[in-house]
Amino acid sequence: MTTQAPVTTAPAAVSGEAATGTMVLLADDFQDGDLAGWDVDDGWYLYGTGTEYLAAAGGAAWMWWPGGEDWPDAYALRSSVRIDRGGLAVSIAVGPEGRYVLHLHEDGTDLLLDRPWGTFTTLASGAPVAAGAWHALVFGCDGSSLQAYVDGQPLLAAEAGAALPGGSVGFGALDGAVAGVDNVLVTRLQAGLPAFPGVAAPAPGPAAAPPAVAAPPEPPGEEPEGPGAGDPADLEIDGIVVGARVVEGEAVFVQFSVTNRGGTASGPFSVAWEAAGSACTAGFPSLEPMTFGVGTCEAAGLPSGLHTWTAYADDDDRVAESDEADNTRTGVIEVAAAWSAGPDLHIVDGNPGTIQGDEQYTFWVIVDDLNGTGFDRAFTTRFLVDGRLACSVDETGAPVQVFCDLPRMAAGVHVVETQIDPEDEIAETREDNNTWTWEAQVEGGRPDLRFVPAPSVSPPAGAPFDVAVTVEDHNGSGFQGSFSVRFSVDGRTVCDRTASGVPATLTCTYPALAAGEHEFSWMIDPADAVDETIEHNNEYTVRRTAG
């Protein structure tokens, strides 16, 4: 589930050390082609290339997820982030009392406490992350304990004092910034934050000066007033899609989504797009208040490399607007070299679905060369489940369908990640679109009752004794039905014990046995009343000497 960034495709968010839980609270890679569910300020918009999308920002703006007010106070945010210019604020525990902020900027990184809103305390500071490149970010909180990782390496850690109550996540771009966010994944921490090596957290203290960190125009929970009837029109570009693939010398296809956020109809207008001297214009009919329209245009081809683009709503100022300053959007476009420059391996299809916990699930993906070079070399594809390697498969040529028999998984949500050419042995025109991430929903399925651990007995001679056995469900189906265990010695039944649900421990008192060797056996569900995936592993037998 990788998506196109302001410059290039983002890597999938990786499993960082802080993300120890697998209970997903939020997952959005923007591949549905919208920002639904997010509360988005004017400067954020959807950016894409026709098939791949991300959230991008130009200038001071705020985006947050309002659905997390009741989240626990121990969770981790994983995301792909990129800053081409300016700075980016990543916030967690966003709520009425404040938030924790990881501020990434050209001079360094700062871990901040914003409580009450607009009052910043610096908790820790560190070196900057590289601009113009995608980074895998993990930002975790466990009450007042905070940790941040970048590209799998420890970045900052701190204690914030009194913990903020549970809250959501958000992203803020700073004035003059060009930034992108993709592959947002928030997971509950089931085992807390790990030990944090090698980074000393300074004692909290007030910031030397309030940092320029983008914040919501109003704290969460307050709704801004909408336009009034009769207020002037206000045109804003809230989505831009640039071609399916931009290649040097070929025409650039641009699609705009524009909304009139004012109180009167706009009248006809146009939207222009320009990059490195190549330009095009799309005409729009009149938009009624709080409605949107979509227009397209085609610009001349660009040379390969990185180019800054600018889009202008109402480029010839035909519409009298309440706000003339919010009509511009900027971003960065990467124009690829000619198709024949080399292969570009990419996952173009897969078979995500619901898995039954008692089934062996075969997962597959189709790997193709987007550049159509006739690629026929050998390459490796890896499949990981919750960060652990499940399969490593070698194939030759593309397109090719690659299969992996996933291990049986307990009921719940699991993260399956597929990596093409993980060792970068194939020289590709793009190396940053080789990962695909999928969330697997595993249902309970049928049980497989087993003795865990295997029963053991050390019988005395001439005296009664107790034997206890423990039964578990190997499939993790959540079985809570009734079942019985038969205790036998030398072919004779000693006890039949019944329990409800697993795990369960059952005990039988054996009579006194004569000195010498005896055969002990235990059988789960001797009447086959429980429908199990495996019925032949319910009996266990040992020979032991009494005395």
Side-chain angles (χ1 to χ4, degrees):
M1 293 185 183
T2 55
T3 58
Q4 185 71 23
V7 174
T8 184
T9 301
V14 299
S15 298
E17 292 89 340
T20 57
T22 58
M23 182 68 72
V24 175
L25 300 172
L26 168 65
D28 194 353
D29 62 1
F30 309 110
Q31 284 298 89
D32 52 7
D34 62 43
L35 296 174
W38 294 89
D39 190 338
V40 181
D41 196 13
D42 296 342
W44 284 91
Y45 57 94
L46 184 73
Y47 180 82
T49 60
T51 58
E52 299 177 346
Y53 302 89
L54 69 107
W62 171 260
M63 179 178 84
W64 78 290
W65 182 264
E69 296 91 337
D70 59 348
W71 287 355
D73 60 2
Y75 65 82
L77 163 67
R78 290 182 287 173
S79 178
S80 301
V81 298
R82 180 183 178 118
I83 306 168
D84 285 281
R85 186 170 66 240
L88 180 69
V90 182
S91 300
I92 58 177
V94 180
E97 293 187 17
R99 57 180 172 148
Y100 303 122
V101 186
L102 181 63
H103 183 200
L104 309 173
H105 55 94
E106 60 186 5
D107 296 324
T109 55
D110 299 301
L111 193 52
L112 307 171
L113 170 65
D114 182 7
R115 179 173 58 187
W117 282 91
T119 303
F120 292 95
T121 300
T122 300
L123 304 176
S125 297
V129 298
W134 281 102
H135 299 282
L137 171 69
V138 179
F139 190 11
C141 66
D142 185 356
S144 62
S145 297
L146 306 173
Q147 292 183 5
Y149 298 78
V150 170
D151 299 328
Q153 299 301 313
L155 178 66
L156 295 173
E159 290 290 334
L164 290 170
S168 191
V169 297
F171 301 91
L174 308 187
D175 190 25
V178 173
V181 173
D182 202 359
N183 304 309
V184 178
L185 181 64
V186 181
T187 55
R188 187 191 311 270
L189 289 179
Q190 296 177 329
L193 293 168
F196 196 86
V199 178
V213 177
E218 300 178 17
E222 300 181 19
E223 294 292 334
E225 295 183 2
D231 287 350
D234 183 17
L235 298 175
E236 297 180 15
I237 302 172
D238 51 24
I240 295 180
V241 177
V242 183
R245 176 177 173 85
V246 182
V247 180
E248 62 177 329
E250 296 185 4
V252 181
F253 178 80
V254 184
Q255 177 178 293
F256 309 95
S257 176
V258 181
T259 298
N260 177 10
R261 301 190 187 279
T264 59
S266 67
F269 63 95
S270 60
V271 180
W273 184 89
E274 187 276 332
S278 177
C280 63
T281 302
F284 283 74
S286 180
L287 292 180
E288 294 298 315
M290 303 308 293
T291 62
F292 75 95
V294 176
T296 60
C297 68
E298 188 174 284
L302 296 167
S304 62
L306 303 180
H307 306 281
T308 299
W309 56 260
T310 307
Y312 310 88
D314 189 32
D315 58 303
D316 55 4
D317 287 328
R318 277 183 280 171
V319 180
E321 300 184 61
S322 60
D323 187 352
E324 297 283 0
D326 61 358
N327 289 3
T328 304
R329 292 287 181 268
T330 61
V332 181
I333 183 174
E334 180 184 28
V335 179
W339 293 89
S340 60
D344 179 15
L345 298 180
H346 187 72
I347 295 171
V348 297
D349 197 7
N351 68 328
T354 301
I355 301 174
Q356 297 297 320
D358 55 17
E359 293 180 354
Q360 180 70 61
Y361 189 79
T362 299
F363 181 61
W364 57 261
V365 295
I366 294 177
V367 180
D368 202 358
D369 173 16
L370 296 184
N371 287 350
T373 62
F375 177 81
D376 62 357
R377 292 183 57 190
F379 67 96
T380 299
T381 302
R382 288 179 184 168
F383 299 81
L384 296 90
V385 177
D386 296 332
R388 297 183 297 275
L389 182 66
C391 300
S392 182
V393 182
D394 292 330
E395 293 285 358
T396 301
V400 64
Q401 191 171 19
V402 186
F403 295 89
C404 175
D405 289 332
L406 299 183
R408 287 187 173 89
M409 296 174 279
V413 178
H414 301 265
V415 177
V416 179
E417 184 176 286
T418 307
Q419 303 171 347
I420 307 172
D421 188 31
E423 303 298 332
D424 288 334
E425 297 177 352
I426 306 297
E428 302 180 60
T429 57
R430 288 168 57 190
E431 299 285 1
D432 51 9
N433 62 349
N434 287 3
T435 300
W436 195 78
T437 302
W438 164 56
E439 291 173 30
Q441 176 65 51
V442 180
E443 297 184 349
R446 293 180 296 159
D448 175 21
L449 301 181
R450 298 186 183 183
F451 292 112
V452 180
S456 62
V457 59
S458 298
F465 58 97
D466 291 339
V467 176
V469 296
T470 299
V471 178
E472 293 187 358
D473 174 15
H474 185 69
N475 286 351
S477 68
F479 174 75
Q480 293 299 313
S482 296
F483 67 95
S484 63
V485 172
R486 177 165 295 168
F487 297 73
S488 302
V489 60
D490 298 329
R492 303 185 308 274
T493 298
V494 179
C495 301
D496 279 304
R497 296 287 184 258
T498 301
S500 295
V502 291
T505 299
L506 303 93
T507 302
C508 174
T509 300
Y510 283 69
L513 299 177
E517 188 177 72
H518 299 270
E519 183 179 86
F520 295 85
S521 64
W522 301 267
M523 178 176 286
I524 303 169
D525 188 33
D528 285 334
V530 180
D531 183 17
E532 300 179 65
T533 57
I534 302 176
E535 297 285 1
H536 58 72
N537 61 354
N538 287 2
E539 186 172 11
Y540 188 79
T541 300
V542 297
R543 300 188 70 84
R544 294 290 184 267
T545 299

